[in-house]
Amino acid sequence: MKIATFNANSIRMRLPIVLDWLAENEPDVLAIQETKCEDDKFPLADFEDAGWHATFHGQKSYNGVALISRQPLSDVITGFGNPLMPNDCRIISCRLGDWNIVNVYVPNGNAVGSDKFAYKLQWLKEFRNLLVSRYRPSDKVVVLGDINIAPTPDDVFDSEKHVGKVGHHPAEFEVLDLVRGFGLSDLFRLKTEGPGYYTFWEFVIRGAVEKNLGWRIDHIYGTQPAADKLIDCQIDKAPRLLEKPSDHTFVWASFSE
């Protein structure tokens, strides 16, 4: 089993990169965030022509999530299922065999103290409730996507400069710990320790990729039954160096079944 995540920052703009990566890496499931298109404009035919299934939940210009798979997925659910939470196309989940896969695009938060930052914290608390209501820690559950939080000093360049700002704020660390307290391990950190491993490099910083001035904000988490099957978890930096890339890159995890 191989499961991967990628914030495409527009699936239509990044379609050649995604299709090439799928062909080369052959994951069982690729979770995509920021598709940025309505469902009737999702490039479904391109994926089907390449032998892939796709299920998606999108909106115009913003957000949007999708699951690309070799085999049809079952039990596809979108959103929180809570009428009090906006349906802003940030969650899509499924089953593949006895694996539960949850693809998320966590709100950015915009600015500390803003309504959007408060919404980010509330969103994560509600996501914890979703996990508790749908799954058990004894299930094989993989939660992955753009988490929009670099949770430790090793996960962002110049932590001292960024701590207390959006994406690297103690309030975010606390609520992410609440989510992970469901029973989730950071699968990348089970295999790799230390600084310098990033998944996102800002376009506005000249030479950010070459200088490795990045953030590790795209994560793959797993319950203990999933972690027990983990073979490897890696960041594939190469697609970020291609022409017209996303500002994120792919992260993948492989499992023994």
Side-chain angles (χ1 to χ4, degrees), residues 83-96:
L84 298 179
M85 291 296 291
N87 186 8
D88 50 2
C89 301
R90 293 181 178 275
I91 304 173
I92 187 168
S93 61
C94 70
R95 283 180 63 88
L96 183 59

Side-chain angles (χ1 to χ4, degrees), residues 149-155 167-168 173 176-177 180 186 216-217 219 221:
I149 300 171
T152 77
D154 284 348
D155 294 318
H168 198 51
F173 306 156
L176 183 57
D177 284 345
R180 291 186 53 190
D186 184 334
R216 191 179 72 93
I217 58 175
H219 301 176
Y221 297 119

Side-chain angles (χ1 to χ4, degrees), residues 48-256:
E48 291 181 335
D49 289 347
W52 297 93
H53 295 268
T55 184
F56 37 87
H57 179 46
Q59 63 189 79
K60 185 177 180 180
S61 302
Y62 297 98
N63 306 338
V65 284
L67 294 164
I68 313 299
S69 59
R70 275 298 187 195
Q71 302 299 322
L73 303 172
S74 63
D75 299 334
V76 175
I77 305 174
T78 60
F80 283 113
N82 180 350
L84 298 179
M85 291 296 291
N87 186 8
D88 50 2
C89 301
R90 293 181 178 275
I91 304 173
I92 187 168
S93 61
C94 70
R95 283 180 63 88
L96 183 59
D98 62 347
W99 290 82
N100 300 278
I101 300 166
V102 188
N103 175 14
V104 298
Y105 175 43
V106 175
N108 174 274
N110 190 47
V112 174
S114 68
D115 290 345
K116 290 184 178 180
F117 189 74
Y119 176 63
K120 179 179 189 175
L121 301 181
Q122 181 58 39
W123 193 98
L124 285 161
K125 291 174 183 176
E126 185 63 26
F127 183 65
R128 158 73 189 225
N129 293 337
L130 179 152
L131 293 175
V132 171
S133 68
R134 292 186 186 173
Y135 311 107
R136 298 170 300 176
S138 57
D139 296 332
K140 278 195 276 192
V141 182
V142 173
V143 175
L144 73 171
D146 181 355
I147 307 301
N148 261 318
I149 300 171
T152 77
D154 284 348
D155 294 318
V156 60
F157 80 98
D158 199 349
S159 174
E160 290 187 5
K161 173 184 176 181
H162 293 290
V163 71
K165 299 178 181 178
V166 171
H168 198 51
H169 190 282
E172 295 171 317
F173 306 156
E174 181 178 352
V175 74
L176 183 57
D177 284 345
L178 179 68
V179 172
R180 291 186 53 190
F182 168 76
L184 299 173
S185 297
D186 184 334
L187 300 186
F188 180 77
R189 286 305 185 193
L190 292 182
K191 294 295 182 180
T192 305
E193 298 180 353
Y197 299 96
Y198 306 128
T199 66
F200 165 83
W201 298 262
E202 293 183 69
F203 289 134
V204 297
I205 299 178
R206 183 183 296 273
V209 183
E210 292 76 10
K211 298 172 185 175
N212 204 28
L213 305 179
W215 298 63
R216 191 179 72 93
I217 58 175
D218 303 87
H219 301 176
I220 303 179
Y221 297 119
T223 53
Q224 192 60 51
D228 288 343
K229 300 293 184 181
L230 182 66
I231 297 171
D232 202 2
C233 186
Q234 296 289 334
I235 298 166
D236 184 357
K237 189 176 179 179
R240 182 63 176 81
L241 299 168
L242 297 174
E243 185 177 354
K244 296 182 179 180
S246 170
D247 41 6
H248 297 250
T249 198
F250 294 82
V251 187
W252 58 265
S254 60
F255 305 88
S256 58

